[in-house]
Amino acid sequence: MNAIEIEVPAIYEEDIKRILNKLGILEEITQGKAKCFICDKKISLDNFGGVVKIKGNLKVLCDDPICIETAIEITEALKGSE
Ligand SMILES: [Zn+2]
């Protein structure tokens, strides 16, 4: 079972909304309840960078390249440990 996947959304807002809705986190983001799991910044549709799934838990990322890079490193490290 592959527990880790990264989805990087398309640049169009409608696509992002559709993806977030599919993931079940659209409301969390539009209500301002979602935070980047790396830097703890509040996530909106404007700074949504992607999601990573770590052991079945969905983590939201902002669009900061450092956060995305760090998230990829974490998932790679977890992959190696499994
Ligand atoms: Zn961040």
Side-chain angles (χ1 to χ4, degrees):
M1 195 183 102
N2 184 15
I4 299 156
E5 57 188 63
I6 297 176
E7 288 191 40
V8 179
I11 51 168
Y12 300 108
E13 189 172 301
E14 284 310 310
D15 286 342
I16 293 174
K17 279 184 180 167
R18 206 174 54 220
I19 291 163
L20 294 178
N21 193 36
K22 204 178 92 187
L23 294 169
I25 53 173
L26 178 62
E27 254 181 44
E28 213 178 309
I29 287 172
T30 53
Q31 289 173 1
K33 289 177 184 168
K35 281 181 179 172
C36 173
F37 97 106
I38 302 291
C39 71
D40 216 31
K41 191 159 66 184
K42 201 157 99 177
I43 303 291
S44 68
L45 290 175
D46 291 328
N47 71 353
F48 174 73
V51 293
V52 287
K53 207 186 254 180
I54 296 175
K55 296 186 186 296
N57 294 311
L58 219 51
K59 307 285 187 185
V60 187
L61 293 169
C62 71
D63 60 359
D64 191 326
I66 293 167
C67 293
I68 293 170
E69 219 171 274
T70 306
I72 289 169
E73 275 172 26
I74 290 170
T75 55
E76 287 297 320
L78 284 172
K79 218 182 267 177
S81 73
E82 277 176 348

Coordinates of all heavy atoms in Angstrom, one line a residue:
M1 N 0.8 -1.2 0.0 CA 0.0 0.0 0.0 C 0.9 1.2 0.0 O 1.8 1.3 0.8 CB -0.9 0.0 1.2 CG -2.1 1.0 1.1 SD -3.1 1.0 2.6 CE -2.4 2.5 3.4
N2 N 0.6 2.1 -0.9 CA 1.3 3.4 -0.9 C 0.6 4.4 -0.1 O -0.4 4.9 -0.5 CB 1.5 3.8 -2.4 CG 2.3 5.1 -2.5 OD1 3.0 5.4 -1.6 ND2 2.2 5.7 -3.6
A3 N 1.2 4.7 1.1 CA 0.5 5.7 2.0 C 0.9 7.1 1.7 O 0.4 8.0 2.3 CB 0.9 5.3 3.4
I4 N 1.9 7.3 0.8 CA 2.4 8.6 0.6 C 2.1 9.1 -0.9 O 2.5 8.4 -1.8 CB 3.9 8.7 0.9 CG1 4.1 8.3 2.3 CG2 4.5 10.1 0.6 CD1 5.5 7.8 2.6
E5 N 1.5 10.2 -1.0 CA 1.3 10.7 -2.4 C 1.3 12.2 -2.3 O 0.9 12.8 -1.3 CB 0.1 10.2 -3.0 CG -1.2 10.4 -2.3 CD -2.3 9.7 -2.9 OE1 -2.3 8.4 -3.0 OE2 -3.3 10.3 -3.4
I6 N 1.7 12.9 -3.3 CA 1.7 14.3 -3.4 C 0.9 14.8 -4.6 O 1.1 14.3 -5.7 CB 3.2 14.9 -3.5 CG1 4.0 14.5 -2.3 CG2 3.1 16.4 -3.7 CD1 5.4 14.9 -2.3
E7 N 0.0 15.6 -4.3 CA -0.8 16.2 -5.4 C -0.6 17.6 -5.5 O -0.8 18.4 -4.6 CB -2.3 15.9 -5.2 CG -2.7 14.5 -5.3 CD -4.2 14.3 -5.3 OE1 -4.9 15.1 -5.9 OE2 -4.7 13.4 -4.7
V8 N -0.1 18.1 -6.6 CA 0.1 19.5 -6.8 C -1.0 20.0 -7.7 O -1.2 19.5 -8.8 CB 1.5 19.8 -7.5 CG1 1.7 21.2 -7.7 CG2 2.6 19.2 -6.6
P9 N -1.8 20.9 -7.3 CA -2.9 21.3 -8.0 C -2.6 22.2 -9.2 O -1.5 22.8 -9.3 CB -3.7 22.2 -7.0 CG -2.7 22.7 -6.1 CD -1.6 21.7 -6.0
A10 N -3.5 22.2 -10.2 CA -3.4 23.1 -11.3 C -3.5 24.5 -10.9 O -3.9 24.8 -9.7 CB -4.4 22.8 -12.4
I11 N -3.2 25.5 -11.7 CA -3.1 26.9 -11.3 C -4.5 27.5 -11.3 O -4.7 28.6 -10.7 CB -2.2 27.7 -12.2 CG1 -2.5 27.5 -13.7 CG2 -0.8 27.4 -11.9 CD1 -1.8 28.5 -14.6
Y12 N -5.5 26.9 -11.9 CA -6.8 27.5 -11.9 C -7.6 27.3 -10.6 O -7.6 26.2 -10.1 CB -7.6 27.0 -13.1 CG -6.9 27.3 -14.4 CD1 -6.3 26.2 -15.1 CD2 -6.9 28.6 -14.9 CE1 -5.7 26.5 -16.3 CE2 -6.2 28.8 -16.1 CZ -5.6 27.8 -16.8 OH -5.0 28.1 -18.0
E13 N -8.2 28.3 -10.2 CA -8.9 28.3 -8.9 C -10.0 27.2 -8.9 O -10.2 26.5 -7.9 CB -9.5 29.7 -8.5 CG -10.0 29.7 -7.1 CD -10.5 31.1 -6.7 OE1 -9.6 32.0 -6.7 OE2 -11.6 31.3 -6.4
E14 N -10.7 27.1 -10.0 CA -11.8 26.1 -10.1 C -11.3 24.7 -9.9 O -11.9 23.9 -9.3 CB -12.6 26.3 -11.4 CG -13.5 27.5 -11.4 CD -14.4 27.6 -10.2 OE1 -15.1 26.5 -9.8 OE2 -14.5 28.6 -9.5
D15 N -10.1 24.5 -10.5 CA -9.5 23.2 -10.4 C -9.1 22.9 -8.9 O -9.3 21.8 -8.4 CB -8.3 23.1 -11.3 CG -8.7 22.9 -12.8 OD1 -9.9 22.6 -13.0 OD2 -7.8 23.2 -13.6
I16 N -8.5 23.9 -8.3 CA -8.1 23.8 -7.0 C -9.3 23.5 -6.1 O -9.2 22.6 -5.3 CB -7.4 25.1 -6.5 CG1 -6.1 25.3 -7.2 CG2 -7.1 25.0 -5.0 CD1 -5.3 26.6 -6.9
K17 N -10.4 24.2 -6.3 CA -11.6 24.0 -5.5 C -12.1 22.6 -5.7 O -12.5 21.9 -4.7 CB -12.7 25.0 -5.9 CG -12.5 26.3 -5.2 CD -13.7 27.2 -5.6 CE -13.5 28.6 -4.9 NZ -14.5 29.5 -5.5
R18 N -12.0 22.1 -6.9 CA -12.5 20.7 -7.2 C -11.7 19.7 -6.5 O -12.2 18.8 -5.9 CB -12.6 20.5 -8.7 CG -13.6 19.4 -9.1 CD -13.7 19.3 -10.6 NE -12.4 19.1 -11.2 CZ -12.0 19.6 -12.3 NH1 -12.8 20.4 -13.0 NH2 -10.8 19.4 -12.8
I19 N -10.3 19.9 -6.5 CA -9.4 19.0 -5.9 C -9.6 19.0 -4.4 O -9.7 18.0 -3.7 CB -8.0 19.3 -6.3 CG1 -7.7 19.0 -7.7 CG2 -7.0 18.6 -5.4 CD1 -6.5 19.7 -8.3
L20 N -9.7 20.2 -3.8 CA -9.9 20.3 -2.4 C -11.2 19.7 -1.9 O -11.3 19.1 -0.9 CB -9.8 21.8 -2.0 CG -8.5 22.5 -2.2 CD1 -8.6 24.0 -1.8 CD2 -7.4 21.8 -1.4
N21 N -12.2 19.9 -2.7 CA -13.5 19.3 -2.4 C -13.4 17.8 -2.4 O -14.0 17.1 -1.5 CB -14.6 19.8 -3.4 CG -16.0 19.5 -2.9 OD1 -16.3 19.6 -1.7 ND2 -16.8 19.2 -3.9
K22 N -12.7 17.3 -3.4 CA -12.6 15.8 -3.5 C -11.8 15.3 -2.3 O -12.1 14.2 -1.8 CB -11.8 15.5 -4.8 CG -12.0 14.1 -5.4 CD -11.2 13.9 -6.7 CE -9.9 13.4 -6.4 NZ -9.0 13.3 -7.6
L23 N -10.8 16.1 -1.8 CA -10.0 15.7 -0.7 C -10.8 15.9 0.6 O -10.3 15.5 1.7 CB -8.7 16.4 -0.7 CG -7.7 16.1 -1.8 CD1 -6.6 17.1 -1.8 CD2 -7.2 14.7 -1.7
G24 N -11.9 16.7 0.5 CA -12.7 16.9 1.7 C -12.1 18.0 2.6 O -12.4 18.1 3.8
I25 N -11.3 18.9 2.0 CA -10.6 20.0 2.9 C -11.0 21.4 2.3 O -10.4 22.3 2.8 CB -9.1 19.8 3.0 CG1 -8.5 19.7 1.6 CG2 -8.8 18.6 3.8 CD1 -7.0 19.7 1.6
L26 N -11.9 21.4 1.4 CA -12.3 22.7 0.8 C -12.8 23.7 1.9 O -12.4 24.8 2.0 CB -13.2 22.6 -0.3 CG -13.7 23.9 -1.0 CD1 -12.5 24.7 -1.6 CD2 -14.8 23.6 -2.1
E27 N -13.8 23.1 2.7 CA -14.4 24.0 3.7 C -13.4 24.5 4.7 O -13.4 25.6 5.1 CB -15.5 23.2 4.4 CG -16.9 23.6 4.0 CD -17.9 22.8 4.7 OE1 -17.8 22.6 6.0 OE2 -18.9 22.4 4.1
E28 N -12.5 23.6 5.1 CA -11.5 23.9 6.1 C -10.7 25.1 5.6 O -10.3 26.0 6.4 CB -10.6 22.7 6.3 CG -10.0 22.5 7.6 CD -9.1 21.3 7.7 OE1 -9.6 20.2 7.3 OE2 -8.0 21.4 8.2
I29 N -10.4 25.1 4.3 CA -9.5 26.2 3.8 C -10.3 27.5 3.6 O -9.9 28.6 3.9 CB -8.9 25.7 2.4 CG1 -7.8 24.7 2.8 CG2 -8.3 26.9 1.6 CD1 -7.2 24.0 1.6
T30 N -11.5 27.4 3.0 CA -12.3 28.6 2.8 C -12.7 29.2 4.1 O -13.0 30.4 4.2 CB -13.6 28.3 1.9 OG1 -14.3 27.2 2.5 CG2 -13.2 27.9 0.5
Q31 N -12.8 28.4 5.2 CA -13.2 29.0 6.5 C -11.9 29.4 7.3 O -12.0 29.9 8.4 CB -13.9 27.9 7.3 CG -15.3 27.6 6.8 CD -16.0 26.5 7.5 OE1 -15.4 25.9 8.4 NE2 -17.2 26.2 7.1
G32 N -10.8 29.3 6.6 CA -9.5 29.8 7.3 C -9.0 28.9 8.4 O -8.3 29.3 9.3
K33 N -9.5 27.6 8.4 CA -9.1 26.7 9.5 C -7.9 25.9 9.2 O -7.3 25.2 10.1 CB -10.2 25.8 9.8 CG -11.4 26.5 10.5 CD -12.5 25.5 10.7 CE -13.8 26.2 11.3 NZ -14.9 25.3 11.2
A34 N -7.4 25.9 7.9 CA -6.3 25.0 7.5 C -5.0 25.8 7.7 O -4.9 27.0 7.4 CB -6.5 24.6 6.1
K35 N -4.0 25.1 8.2 CA -2.7 25.7 8.3 C -1.6 24.8 7.7 O -1.8 23.6 7.7 CB -2.3 25.8 9.8 CG -3.0 27.0 10.5 CD -2.6 27.0 12.0 CE -3.2 28.2 12.7 NZ -3.0 28.2 14.1
C36 N -0.6 25.5 7.1 CA 0.5 24.7 6.6 C 1.2 23.9 7.6 O 1.5 24.4 8.7 CB 1.5 25.7 6.0 SG 3.0 24.9 5.4
F37 N 1.4 22.6 7.4 CA 1.9 21.7 8.4 C 3.4 21.9 8.6 O 4.0 21.4 9.6 CB 1.4 20.3 8.2 CG 2.4 19.4 7.5 CD1 3.1 18.4 8.3 CD2 2.7 19.5 6.2 CE1 4.0 17.5 7.6 CE2 3.6 18.6 5.5 CZ 4.2 17.6 6.3
I38 N 4.0 22.6 7.7 CA 5.5 22.9 7.9 C 5.6 24.3 8.7 O 6.3 24.3 9.7 CB 6.2 23.0 6.6 CG1 6.0 21.7 5.8 CG2 7.7 23.3 6.8 CD1 6.8 20.5 6.4
C39 N 5.1 25.3 8.2 CA 5.4 26.7 8.7 C 4.2 27.2 9.5 O 4.3 28.3 10.1 CB 5.7 27.6 7.6 SG 4.4 28.1 6.6
D40 N 3.1 26.5 9.6 CA 1.9 26.9 10.4 C 1.2 28.1 9.9 O 0.4 28.7 10.7 CB 2.4 27.1 11.9 CG 1.3 26.6 12.8 OD1 0.6 25.7 12.5 OD2 1.2 27.2 13.9
K41 N 1.4 28.5 8.7 CA 0.8 29.7 8.1 C -0.6 29.3 7.7 O -0.9 28.2 7.3 CB 1.6 30.1 6.9 CG 1.2 31.5 6.3 CD 2.3 32.0 5.4 CE 2.6 31.2 4.2 NZ 3.7 31.7 3.4
K42 N -1.5 30.2 7.8 CA -2.9 30.0 7.4 C -3.0 29.8 5.9 O -2.4 30.6 5.2 CB -3.8 31.2 7.9 CG -5.3 30.8 8.0 CD -6.0 31.7 9.0 CE -6.7 32.8 8.2 NZ -7.5 33.7 9.0
I43 N -3.8 28.8 5.5 CA -3.9 28.5 4.1 C -5.2 29.0 3.6 O -6.2 28.9 4.1 CB -3.9 26.9 3.9 CG1 -2.6 26.3 4.5 CG2 -4.0 26.6 2.4 CD1 -1.3 26.6 3.8
S44 N -5.1 29.7 2.4 CA -6.2 30.1 1.7 C -6.1 29.6 0.3 O -5.1 29.0 -0.1 CB -6.3 31.7 1.7 OG -5.3 32.2 0.9
L45 N -7.1 29.9 -0.6 CA -7.0 29.4 -1.9 C -5.9 30.1 -2.7 O -5.4 29.6 -3.6 CB -8.4 29.7 -2.7 CG -9.6 28.8 -2.2 CD1 -10.8 29.3 -2.9 CD2 -9.3 27.4 -2.5
D46 N -5.5 31.3 -2.2 CA -4.4 32.0 -2.8 C -3.0 31.5 -2.5 O -2.1 31.6 -3.4 CB -4.4 33.5 -2.4 CG -5.7 34.2 -2.9 OD1 -6.1 33.8 -4.0 OD2 -6.2 35.1 -2.2
N47 N -2.8 30.9 -1.4 CA -1.5 30.4 -1.1 C -1.4 28.9 -0.9 O -0.5 28.4 -0.3 CB -0.9 31.1 0.2 CG -1.6 30.8 1.5 OD1 -2.6 30.0 1.5 ND2 -1.1 31.2 2.6
F48 N -2.5 28.2 -1.3 CA -2.5 26.7 -1.2 C -1.4 26.2 -2.1 O -1.3 26.5 -3.3 CB -3.9 26.2 -1.6 CG -3.9 24.7 -1.7 CD1 -3.9 24.0 -0.6 CD2 -4.0 24.1 -2.9 CE1 -4.0 22.6 -0.6 CE2 -4.0 22.7 -3.0 CZ -4.0 21.9 -1.8
G49 N -0.5 25.4 -1.6 CA 0.6 24.8 -2.3 C 0.5 23.4 -2.7 O 1.1 22.9 -3.6
G50 N -0.3 22.6 -1.9 CA -0.5 21.2 -2.2 C -0.8 20.4 -0.9 O -0.9 21.0 0.1
V51 N -1.0 19.1 -1.1 CA -1.2 18.3 0.1 C -0.3 17.1 0.0 O 0.1 16.7 -1.0 CB -2.7 17.8 0.2 CG1 -3.6 18.9 0.4 CG2 -3.1 17.0 -1.1
V52 N 0.1 16.6 1.2 CA 0.8 15.4 1.3 C 0.0 14.5 2.2 O -0.6 14.9 3.1 CB 2.2 15.5 1.8 CG1 3.1 16.2 0.8 CG2 2.3 16.3 3.1
K53 N 0.0 13.2 1.8 CA -0.6 12.2 2.7 C 0.4 11.4 3.4 O 1.3 10.8 2.8 CB -1.5 11.3 1.8 CG -2.7 10.7 2.5 CD -3.4 9.7 1.7 CE -4.7 10.2 1.1 NZ -5.4 9.3 0.3
I54 N 0.4 11.6 4.7 CA 1.4 10.9 5.5 C 0.7 9.9 6.4 O 0.0 10.2 7.3 CB 2.3 11.9 6.4 CG1 3.1 12.8 5.4 CG2 3.2 11.1 7.3 CD1 3.8 13.9 6.1
K55 N 1.0 8.6 6.1 CA 0.3 7.5 6.8 C -1.2 7.7 7.0 O -1.7 7.6 8.0 CB 1.0 7.3 8.2 CG 2.5 6.9 8.1 CD 3.1 6.6 9.4 CE 4.6 6.3 9.3 NZ 4.9 5.1 8.6
G56 N -1.8 8.1 5.9 CA -3.2 8.2 5.8 C -3.8 9.5 6.3 O -5.0 9.8 6.1
N57 N -2.9 10.4 6.8 CA -3.3 11.7 7.3 C -3.0 12.8 6.2 O -1.8 12.9 5.8 CB -2.7 12.1 8.6 CG -3.1 11.2 9.7 OD1 -4.3 10.9 9.9 ND2 -2.2 10.7 10.4
L58 N -4.0 13.5 5.8 CA -3.8 14.6 4.8 C -3.2 15.8 5.5 O -3.7 16.3 6.5 CB -5.2 14.9 4.2 CG -5.2 15.2 2.7 CD1 -4.5 14.1 1.9 CD2 -6.7 15.3 2.3
K59 N -2.1 16.3 5.0 CA -1.4 17.5 5.5 C -1.4 18.6 4.4 O -1.1 18.3 3.2 CB 0.0 17.2 5.9 CG 0.2 16.0 6.8 CD -0.3 16.4 8.2 CE 0.1 15.3 9.2 NZ -0.4 15.6 10.5
V60 N -1.8 19.8 4.8 CA -1.9 20.9 3.8 C -0.6 21.7 3.8 O 0.0 21.9 4.9 CB -3.1 21.8 4.1 CG1 -3.4 22.8 3.0 CG2 -4.4 20.9 4.3
L61 N -0.2 22.1 2.6 CA 1.0 22.9 2.5 C 0.7 24.3 1.9 O -0.2 24.4 1.0 CB 2.0 22.2 1.6 CG 2.6 20.9 2.0 CD1 3.3 20.3 0.8 CD2 3.5 21.1 3.1
C62 N 1.4 25.3 2.3 CA 1.3 26.6 1.6 C 2.2 26.5 0.4 O 2.8 25.5 0.1 CB 1.8 27.7 2.5 SG 3.5 27.8 2.9
D63 N 2.2 27.6 -0.4 CA 2.9 27.6 -1.7 C 4.4 28.0 -1.5 O 5.0 28.2 -2.5 CB 2.2 28.5 -2.7 CG 2.1 29.9 -2.3 OD1 2.6 30.3 -1.2 OD2 1.6 30.8 -3.0
D64 N 4.9 28.1 -0.3 CA 6.3 28.4 -0.1 C 7.1 27.2 -0.6 O 6.9 26.1 -0.1 CB 6.5 28.6 1.4 CG 7.9 29.2 1.6 OD1 8.8 28.9 0.9 OD2 8.0 30.0 2.5
P65 N 8.0 27.5 -1.5 CA 8.9 26.4 -2.1 C 9.6 25.6 -1.0 O 9.8 24.4 -1.1 CB 9.8 27.0 -3.0 CG 9.2 28.3 -3.4 CD 8.4 28.7 -2.2
I66 N 10.0 26.3 0.1 CA 10.7 25.7 1.2 C 9.8 24.6 1.9 O 10.2 23.5 2.2 CB 11.2 26.7 2.2 CG1 12.2 27.6 1.5 CG2 11.7 26.1 3.5 CD1 12.6 28.9 2.3
C67 N 8.5 25.0 2.1 CA 7.6 24.1 2.7 C 7.4 22.8 1.8 O 7.3 21.7 2.3 CB 6.3 24.8 3.0 SG 6.4 26.0 4.2
I68 N 7.2 23.1 0.5 CA 7.0 22.0 -0.4 C 8.2 21.0 -0.5 O 8.1 19.8 -0.4 CB 6.6 22.5 -1.8 CG1 5.3 23.2 -1.8 CG2 6.6 21.4 -2.9 CD1 4.9 24.0 -3.0
E69 N 9.4 21.7 -0.5 CA 10.6 20.9 -0.5 C 10.7 20.1 0.8 O 11.1 18.9 0.8 CB 11.8 21.9 -0.6 CG 12.9 21.4 -1.5 CD 13.9 22.5 -1.7 OE1 13.7 23.3 -2.7 OE2 14.9 22.6 -0.9
T70 N 10.4 20.7 1.9 CA 10.5 20.0 3.2 C 9.6 18.9 3.3 O 9.9 17.8 3.7 CB 10.3 21.0 4.4 OG1 11.1 22.1 4.2 CG2 10.5 20.4 5.7
A71 N 8.3 19.1 2.8 CA 7.3 18.0 2.8 C 7.8 16.9 1.9 O 7.6 15.7 2.3 CB 6.0 18.6 2.3
I72 N 8.4 17.1 0.8 CA 8.8 16.1 -0.1 C 10.0 15.3 0.6 O 10.0 14.1 0.6 CB 9.3 16.6 -1.4 CG1 8.1 17.1 -2.2 CG2 10.1 15.6 -2.2 CD1 8.4 17.9 -3.5
E73 N 10.8 16.0 1.3 CA 11.9 15.3 2.1 C 11.3 14.4 3.1 O 11.8 13.3 3.3 CB 12.8 16.4 2.7 CG 13.9 16.9 1.7 CD 14.7 18.0 2.3 OE1 14.8 18.2 3.5 OE2 15.2 18.8 1.5
I74 N 10.3 14.9 3.8 CA 9.7 14.1 4.9 C 9.1 12.8 4.3 O 9.3 11.8 4.8 CB 8.6 15.0 5.7 CG1 9.3 16.0 6.5 CG2 7.8 14.1 6.6 CD1 8.4 17.1 7.1
T75 N 8.3 13.0 3.2 CA 7.7 11.9 2.6 C 8.7 10.9 2.1 O 8.5 9.7 2.2 CB 6.7 12.3 1.5 OG1 7.3 13.0 0.6 CG2 5.5 13.0 2.1
E76 N 9.8 11.4 1.5 CA 10.8 10.5 1.0 C 11.5 9.7 2.2 O 11.8 8.6 2.1 CB 11.9 11.3 0.3 CG 11.5 11.8 -1.1 CD 11.1 10.7 -2.0 OE1 11.9 9.7 -2.1 OE2 10.1 10.8 -2.8
A77 N 11.7 10.4 3.3 CA 12.3 9.8 4.5 C 11.4 8.7 5.0 O 11.8 7.6 5.4 CB 12.6 10.9 5.5
L78 N 10.1 9.0 5.0 CA 9.1 8.0 5.5 C 9.1 6.8 4.6 O 9.0 5.7 5.0 CB 7.7 8.6 5.6 CG 7.5 9.6 6.8 CD1 6.2 10.3 6.7 CD2 7.6 8.8 8.1
K79 N 9.1 7.1 3.3 CA 9.1 6.0 2.3 C 10.3 5.1 2.6 O 10.1 3.9 2.5 CB 9.2 6.6 0.9 CG 8.4 6.0 -0.1 CD 8.6 6.6 -1.5 CE 7.6 7.7 -1.8 NZ 7.9 8.4 -3.1
G80 N 11.4 5.6 2.9 CA 12.6 4.8 3.1 C 12.5 4.0 4.3 O 13.1 2.9 4.4
S81 N 11.7 4.4 5.3 CA 11.6 3.7 6.6 C 10.6 2.6 6.5 O 10.4 1.9 7.5 CB 11.3 4.7 7.7 OG 10.0 5.1 7.6
E82 N 9.8 2.6 5.4 CA 8.7 1.6 5.4 C 9.2 0.3 4.7 O 10.0 0.3 3.8 CB 7.5 2.2 4.7 CG 6.7 3.0 5.7 CD 5.5 3.7 5.1 OE1 5.4 3.7 3.9 OE2 4.7 4.2 5.8
Ligands
ZN1 ZN 4.3 26.7 4.7

